[in-house]
Amino acid sequence: MHLLADYLNEIDVHPDSVYVMHEKVERKFSMHSHIKGQLTYVEGGIAFCNMPDKSYVIPARHYIWIPKQQEHYMQIRHSKSTTTRNLYFYSQDDHLTPFYNKLGIYPVNDLLLEMINYSARWERHVLPGDPGFRFLSSIKDILPDISTSALPVALPTTQHERLRPVLQYIAQSFDQQLTLESVSSQFDLSPRTLSRLFTNILDMSFVQYLQTLRVVRGIEMILQTNQTLSEIAYQTGYSSIAAFSKVFYQLTNKRPSSFQQDVH
């Protein structure tokens, strides 16, 4: 635990540096924040970035930009082969470009991938004037220009005592034919009451939450199994690939077949 605290504290020791960390350490931190902006690239598998109120899914061949002072912790599920590459950038000039002040998940093109991989030759702090600083700074500089299409898959979370067990039930049963009525009856609630809980606490409807959860699980299956899209559609609660594809496109602006090609 002391070693983790040392890692976490060191990131912000030099506010004007770029801090490079490719070890599997970021995923071990509990909820925390930095005074630096953070780029985390997911290499293989899938990662989750958990905020106090939402959980963001980060597929392979995507990166997440986490603005300064944003509380978060990273989570890797299932796959030991999943690695992340982390770059922490000085934030003194972030107010000049709106991109750096907004959390987002973006696909990584070939140019950015080569640059991120090349950054592996540095470790820890790279200060202005050090070899490599201008190169690392150029990674930050190009992000607003090449990252124009964010992946909007965020799953709300809550500690609300009445809604939390409902979400746990849905997470365990998402492959079944769930309805507002069937779920509310499991918890001795009226459909109207449950609907209000979703709207007031999570700021989305029951159906929107269920669709988002199913797409997140579908992304996990695309990345971590060899199942066909038809099998994935069925295992996420849809009776046809067409129905799954429609919802997937609504949330990600991509068809699952196109997404599958991009990440493999």
Side-chain angles (χ1 to χ4, degrees):
M1 293 299 294
H2 178 68
L3 180 60
L4 288 179
D6 290 343
Y7 267 109
L8 188 56
N9 292 332
E10 186 184 355
I11 292 170
D12 289 332
V13 165
H14 298 290
D16 55 346
S17 77
V18 179
Y19 189 83
V20 182
M21 183 171 68
H22 296 312
E23 301 99 332
K24 295 181 179 180
V25 175
E26 171 73 34
R27 70 178 71 181
K28 298 180 181 179
F29 294 149
S30 56
M31 191 74 74
H32 66 283
S33 64
H34 313 287
I35 64 171
K36 293 180 175 178
Q38 175 179 339
L39 181 157
T40 291
Y41 168 65
V42 177
E43 191 171 63
I46 191 170
F48 290 83
C49 185
N50 300 296
M51 309 294 178
D53 60 344
K54 289 183 179 178
S55 179
Y56 290 84
V57 56
I58 316 167
R61 192 73 189 231
H62 286 70
Y63 81 89
I64 185 169
W65 176 260
I66 304 173
K68 63 178 182 179
Q69 306 294 0
Q70 172 64 62
E71 288 191 307
H72 67 281
Y73 71 93
M74 301 297 298
Q75 183 180 17
I76 307 295
R77 294 185 188 171
H78 310 307
S79 178
K80 293 182 179 180
S81 62
T82 300
T83 61
T84 60
R85 297 184 179 274
N86 306 283
L87 300 172
Y88 306 83
F89 291 96
Y90 50 87
S91 58
Q92 299 93 324
D93 58 351
D94 284 3
H95 65 285
L96 300 175
T97 307
F99 173 90
Y100 301 119
N101 298 299
K102 183 179 180 181
L103 184 143
I105 299 164
Y106 305 93
V108 171
N109 64 18
D110 291 339
L111 171 63
L112 182 57
L113 178 58
E114 287 189 20
M115 296 179 77
I116 291 173
N117 286 337
Y118 192 78
S119 72
R121 63 182 52 206
W122 293 284
E123 186 177 0
R124 310 294 175 86
H125 290 287
V126 182
L127 292 159
D130 288 347
F133 182 81
R134 291 180 63 183
F135 173 82
L136 294 171
S137 295
S138 69
I139 294 178
K140 180 183 180 183
D141 291 343
I142 68 172
L143 295 180
D145 293 327
I146 66 173
S147 305
T148 57
S149 180
L151 183 70
V153 185
L155 196 65
T157 58
T158 182
Q159 298 299 317
H160 190 276
E161 60 181 9
R162 298 183 73 187
L163 190 54
R164 188 180 183 190
V166 176
L167 300 188
Q168 292 172 337
Y169 172 77
I170 294 174
Q172 296 168 354
S173 313
F174 68 92
D175 58 334
Q176 301 176 23
Q177 296 304 308
L178 300 178
T179 64
L180 181 65
E181 290 73 20
S182 68
V183 174
S184 59
S185 67
Q186 290 286 330
F187 294 89
D188 198 24
L189 296 170
S190 71
R192 186 176 182 180
T193 297
L194 184 58
S195 178
R196 284 180 174 175
L197 283 174
F198 272 91
T199 302
N200 294 339
I201 304 301
L202 300 184
D203 197 28
M204 64 169 45
S205 70
F206 168 83
V207 171
Q208 289 172 324
Y209 180 85
L210 180 59
Q211 289 177 337
T212 303
L213 174 63
R214 284 173 167 171
V215 166
V216 168
R217 294 293 181 261
I219 289 173
E220 287 188 80
M221 292 178 193
I222 288 172
L223 290 169
Q224 298 184 334
T225 73
N226 293 319
Q227 296 178 92
T228 67
L229 291 178
S230 294
E231 291 170 332
I232 292 172
Y234 177 76
Q235 292 188 33
T236 52
Y238 292 98
S239 57
S240 69
I241 190 173
F244 174 64
S245 180
K246 180 180 178 181
V247 173
F248 196 100
Y249 183 81
Q250 288 173 343
L251 289 181
T252 67
N253 291 319
K254 285 188 177 182
R255 298 294 178 189
S257 55
S258 176
F259 178 83
Q260 188 178 49
Q261 292 174 357
D262 290 344
V263 298
H264 286 298

